[in-house]
DNA sequence: AATGAATGAGGTTTCATTCAT
DNA sequence: CATGAATGAAACCTCATTCAT
């Protein structure tokens, strides 16, 4: 909140900068050496702070990692936000290709972190606890944030209204399926984890399959 | 050497039984407590052996885990093996549904292990080393084992010959896309990791999307 | 950087004190229970710190042990440093007796550690690596440190100039031989390893043999 | 004892062969990988037997190692045995050079084992116990075996009688000093532990120093 | 707010020894 | 006699977390 005392502002500024450096350090270290080797020591070193400093900003390692995931997710959501508005313009295949391409590029950066959350039950438990606290604190109206599957489903429904997607398609499950394929491709065995982008040819085939289907 | 002395055979028997118990213990423990808590101590306890016994059968923990993955992969391959032969029988959607259903059920059991291999660079490095040794030992003709994407692509090509899949489909990338979607669904956020099966409704939607596509 | 903030100095102070306690603990434990039983646990206990503290100051056990050897070697070198300056004073036999006596006394304390370095190839390898790094970092001019054989050879050469040592003696090999005899005596089977001193009679015989020789 | 039943003889033959292979394996493994890595596993493998077989022949590892030392010491003693008989023949320096040369060559092979006995108190304790048992069993007359220092002292005394060694030399301590120098040279820092021989030049300098002394 | 030394529980791996075969 | 699988204690080392400075 702007307008606080200069002292407080300076303190906040410094703290925020440190927090940002820590969040970025988490992503960098996990990407570099893998989740099992992403120790507090390595993260502190990458952030240029002392190990103990982590615990001035986050109560424990799990909370720090979850904050890093949430922070990395923001641009992913932003990239999808304007997809529903494009219904009726260009081609369906073209719109999908562009949106999925952006999404894949961003996902690639935080994929190791998301996978880690799937492998480590401690992180999952902590996330559940934080979510519970958050919704308890924010009241019962906090649900319903826009997420990629919801936005994609909205887009498909809008295209149904334009007659460019068949009317009997269940847009919700279809959106889930399409994004699942995108996620699955990112995990494909041949993928080089260091490449930040997704092969455009692979993406084109995905769009071809889901738009035209297998049938003649 | 078949037909060795009974004594030698007995020794081999006991060792094999222990190895089997260890492989199963790896899967059980990873599924129960997660990869980061799947310690050698927990695995030995689950297998009913002493911790040191692990190292009489596997040189290190990574090799043990890779052996468990390979062992778990066998029934997965077997479940897909007869898919190409079914081309032209039943319906395309029906054949896909059955094959993907079996595959998903088996995958679900070993998914944590496969994810772990993606999270832990040590495992990946060890796998690369073992693969290199294996192909060096087996000569340059060892490649070309049947794998799920290859078998699914074979099936799609056979259906093309029957005219039940459109002729201009690139069967290889299509197979990869379909299996990627199946893998991605298994990782979907809402999925309960303890459930051993895949929601049949979700699978039906996947098959619907890929067979009929989005277009009207 | 001298004159840093008191805080930084204090931190350094504490760390140095811990390092000193660890180095002394290494010598004590090795002397007490022998090299094979000089475990990190025993050393930490003797130093009054937790086991993990060792690894905040030394990357591994071998480096710690080598540091202990180097630290123990300093007084040994100091004891020999002024020997060359005594050439021409007193008697040759008297000078040798005194210098070798001091040397033996100090050697006795660190002999188990030096022997350990001869028994354990891991230590030798680590020492070679550290030496390589040190000389690489310090540039090619780092060689030529004074060592006991060199100082003793200098002394003998100076006595040659005074005409108190025969002119045709090869001082370098002679110095090596004399010090080898001293080391060998410390290992003699009858020697009680717990005695911190060397039998003066034995030392006198050594000096007698090397000064006067066997011949009539 | 020859003349036992053929069966027993055969059994003894086989057992002795195994024992010999084990003793040699101990020396080889210690020389190759160092005492700390000379595990029962490595020794059994080098001897071509199973690990458990060791314990059919020796009650524990320490006893096996001590047997290996004793076995290796026999040729060392043999090499010195005829030295006293050479007094008065050739030159003193020549006789010493030859005897010390042979001794050094043999010593070099078992040096790692002897050093290990100095570093490991367990071995020393076991040796003390075995010695106590042996002398208890053999009666009080078992002492006085010929050993290198004793034989060298005998030789020097004989040369005194021939007038080729000065009469006021204390032959016992002199012998100890000379052999200590030889042992110390084998431990000299520059020595390549893999070289089975001793540098003849170094040995010549040793003989020169002890025969002629330092004085003009 | 930041530091970094210290902690101690716990991780993987090794190894001398035993015992059923 | 010989085997080798099994044992379990103990080794070295790591790491999230705390606390005096």
């Amino acid at each position: 909140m702007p307008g606080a005392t200069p002292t407080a502002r300076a303190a906040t500024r410094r703290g925020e900068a440190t927090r940002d450096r820590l969040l970025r350090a988490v992503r960098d270290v996990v990407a570099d050496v893998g989740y099992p080797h992403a120790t507090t020591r390595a993260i502190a070193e990458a952030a240029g702070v002392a190990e103990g400093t982590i615990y001035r900003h986050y109560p424990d390692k799990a909370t720090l990692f979850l904050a890093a995931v949430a922070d990395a997710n923001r641009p992913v959501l932003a990239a999808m936000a304007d997809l529903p508005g494009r219904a009726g313009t260009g081609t369906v295949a073209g719109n999908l290709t562009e949106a999925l391409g952006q999404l894949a590029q961003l996902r690639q950066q935080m994929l190791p972190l998301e996978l880690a959350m799937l492998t480590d039950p401690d992180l999952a438990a902590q996330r559940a606890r934080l979510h519970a606290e958050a919704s308890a604190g924010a009241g019962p109206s906090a649900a319903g944030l826009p997420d990629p599957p919801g936005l994609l489903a909205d887009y498909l429904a809008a295209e149904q209204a334009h007659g460019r997607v068949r009317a009997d398609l269940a847009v919700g499950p279809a959106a889930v399926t399409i994004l699942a394929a995108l996620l699955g491709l990112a995990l494909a065995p041949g993928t080089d984890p260091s490449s930040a982008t997704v092969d455009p040819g692979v993406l084109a085939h995905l769009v071809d399959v889901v738009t035209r289907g297998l049938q003649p």
Side-chain angles (χ1 to χ4, degrees), chain A residues 76 102-112 114 148 183:
Chain A
V76 173
Q102 287 179 12
L103 187 56
Q105 197 167 345
L106 294 165
R107 229 2 120 82
Q108 204 79 353
Q109 296 172 10
M110 45 168 305
L111 195 68
E114 301 235 355
L183 173 60

Side-chain angles (χ1 to χ4, degrees), chain A residues 10-213:
Chain A
T12 301
R13 277 262 185 85
R14 190 136 95 98
E16 254 181 74
T18 302
R19 268 191 289 277
D20 271 359
R21 290 226 305 282
L22 281 172
L23 296 181
R24 213 185 325 268
V26 168
R27 291 199 286 275
D28 291 349
V29 171
V30 170
D32 274 6
V33 302
Y35 178 67
H37 293 334
T39 66
T40 49
R41 166 124 82 167
I43 290 163
E45 193 180 355
V49 301
E51 225 175 328
T53 302
I54 293 175
Y55 295 86
R56 297 245 144 233
H57 298 278
Y58 300 95
D60 52 27
K61 196 194 174 193
T63 307
L64 166 65
F65 271 59
L66 292 170
V69 171
D71 185 69
N73 254 327
R74 253 197 315 262
V76 173
L77 285 177
M80 300 277 308
D82 53 347
L83 180 59
R86 291 206 203 144
T89 71
T91 66
V92 173
N95 290 335
L96 277 183
T97 300
E98 187 183 333
L100 295 183
Q102 287 179 12
L103 187 56
Q105 197 167 345
L106 294 165
R107 229 2 120 82
Q108 204 79 353
Q109 296 172 10
M110 45 168 305
L111 195 68
L113 263 176
E114 301 235 355
L115 284 183
M117 292 193 38
L118 293 170
T119 18
D120 193 340
D122 293 355
L123 277 185
Q126 185 73 282
R127 183 185 54 171
R129 198 144 52 94
L130 291 180
H131 270 288
E133 285 174 14
S135 38
S141 71
L145 294 184
D147 58 340
L151 292 167
L152 179 52
D154 288 350
Y155 168 74
L156 292 176
E159 291 287 14
Q160 276 180 329
H162 284 98
R164 306 206 300 177
V165 159
R166 61 183 161 98
D168 64 340
L169 183 78
V171 293
V176 168
T177 296
I178 292 169
L179 293 173
L182 190 67
L183 173 60
L185 285 176
L187 304 178
T191 310
D192 179 8
S194 66
S195 86
T197 64
V198 158
D199 184 347
V202 170
L203 182 57
H205 282 297
L206 164 62
V207 173
D208 180 61
V209 168
V210 299
T211 50
R212 300 177 56 206

